[in-house]
Amino acid sequence: MSAIGLRERKKAATKQALSRAAIRLAAERGLAGATAEAIAAQVGVSTRTFHNYFPAKEDAILYCAEDDVAEWVRILLDRPAAEPIWEALEFVTVGFVGDPERELDEVSLVWQLIEESPVLAARSHSLHARIGRRLGVAIAERTGTDIERDLYPNLMQTVVVCAVKTALEFALSSGREPADLIHEVFAQLRNGLPQPPVR
């Protein structure tokens, strides 16, 4: 590996570590207690280094969500061109929840922090618009639609993100396997969410 490649990987790892530390500290101490100094100390870097990566702690907390969707987009665009879009998205999201290095509890913590903090909620709104558009553009490219003119890629990216969030929340509360729930989610979406039979 080249020196440049190694350096970029180290920078990415540091950014990820700072984001995770910010999430943990905000969950433990509240948003006010998750200072830039405390976050940097958790990772063993200076406060100046923290600010080289993030303007503020809120950006650090929300970074993981943006990084996750960026990874979804990369994987989605690498899937075989002839693969139906539902299958491609199911592959991407099952891989996301099944990644052994991913802390799904951490994902849930971010959602909880957003719900509890008006500041994070406001920032997350603009973040979701930005990352949702990135996913929508990738879906449009895969389906031959236009993100500006067609409802389809805009609707699909919103449905998929909400569906994954719902599946993960249900997995964490029920103890069921997240990947199994993702498969179930996509099966129901493909079928148009038919009304279940009366019990």
Side-chain angles (χ1 to χ4, degrees):
M1 179 180 295
S2 68
I4 294 176
L6 181 59
R7 186 160 58 247
E8 290 305 312
R9 286 187 64 179
K10 286 183 176 179
K11 287 173 65 177
T14 299
K15 192 168 188 177
Q16 190 74 240
L18 287 167
S19 179
R20 289 181 167 177
I23 294 166
R24 288 194 306 270
L25 284 172
E28 293 169 3
R29 306 179 185 179
L31 189 60
T35 63
E37 293 80 6
I39 295 165
Q42 287 276 310
V43 180
V45 299
S46 67
T47 305
R48 180 178 178 181
T49 296
F50 171 85
H51 286 298
N52 286 339
Y53 287 95
F54 298 109
K57 59 190 175 185
E58 292 84 2
D59 300 289
I61 291 169
L62 296 173
Y63 168 73
C64 281
E66 186 165 13
D67 191 50
D68 287 340
V69 172
E71 183 66 13
W72 287 17
V73 169
R74 286 192 293 271
I75 297 170
L76 179 61
L77 293 177
D78 282 343
R79 297 299 297 162
E83 184 177 45
I85 187 62
W86 281 118
E87 290 181 19
L89 286 165
E90 184 172 357
F91 177 91
V92 170
T93 52
V94 168
F96 169 74
V97 301
D99 183 351
E101 296 185 4
R102 189 175 309 282
E103 297 288 344
L104 295 181
D105 286 346
E106 194 173 84
V107 176
S108 180
L109 279 178
V110 174
W111 296 334
Q112 183 179 334
L113 289 167
I114 290 170
E115 289 174 0
E116 294 173 351
S117 167
V119 174
L120 277 175
R123 291 203 180 208
S124 71
H125 180 74
S126 60
L127 170 68
H128 288 158
R130 186 168 69 252
I131 64 179
R133 180 176 176 81
R134 291 180 66 182
L135 182 57
V137 167
I139 292 170
E141 184 175 327
R142 292 273 316 190
T143 57
T145 53
D146 188 315
I147 191 70
E148 301 294 346
R149 295 183 300 175
D150 297 322
L151 179 62
Y152 185 84
N154 294 282
L155 178 61
M156 178 165 270
Q157 66 86 6
T158 301
V159 167
V160 168
V161 170
C162 289
V164 171
K165 182 176 184 291
T166 300
L168 287 182
E169 288 177 337
F170 194 75
L172 291 169
S173 65
S174 68
R176 292 182 59 188
E177 283 296 320
D180 291 344
L181 286 166
I182 292 292
H183 286 306
E184 188 176 326
V185 159
F186 275 86
Q188 293 199 32
L189 290 174
R190 283 191 187 91
N191 291 329
L193 283 177
Q195 183 172 325
V198 177
R199 294 179 180 177

